[in-house]
């Protein structure tokens, strides 16, 4: 996707423990849920943080039983 084709969501604010909420439409589009693993990378120019799902999930025992 070219830079001019990007649809931005937010702004979002980091919490005191450096967490941020991912917009629901993005979670749904990528089929992500609690426990989904993500990877982070800094772009070469240092202007973007890139996030991508690993395709794996780390669900707790309680979350597995709830399903």
């Amino acid at each position: 996707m070219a830079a001019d084709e990007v649809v931005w969501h937010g702004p979002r604010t980091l919490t005191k423990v450096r967490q941020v909420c991912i917009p629901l439409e993005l979670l749904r589009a990528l089929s992500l849920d609690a426990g989904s693993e993500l990877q982070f990378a800094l772009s070469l120019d240092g202007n973007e943080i890139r996030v991508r799902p690993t395709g794996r999930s780390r669900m707790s025992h309680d979350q597995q039983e709830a399903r």
Side-chain angles (χ1 to χ4, degrees):
M1 179 179 290
D4 58 347
E5 296 177 17
V6 172
V7 176
W8 291 99
H9 298 264
R12 298 287 196 242
T13 302
L14 285 174
T15 67
K16 290 181 181 181
V17 293
R18 297 176 303 280
Q19 295 175 332
V20 65
C21 185
I22 300 171
L24 185 58
E25 58 264 23
L26 296 178
L27 295 175
R28 287 181 176 158
L30 294 170
S31 299
L32 299 174
D33 205 349
S36 296
E37 290 185 359
L38 303 172
Q39 292 180 319
F40 298 86
L42 185 62
S43 64
L44 294 176
D45 63 8
N47 289 326
E48 292 181 335
I49 298 172
R50 298 181 184 169
V51 182
R52 71 177 178 190
T54 66
R56 297 183 299 190
S57 179
R58 291 188 180 190
M59 294 179 59
S60 71
H61 182 67
D62 293 338
Q63 289 173 321
Q64 290 174 356
E65 287 181 352
R67 287 190 165 202

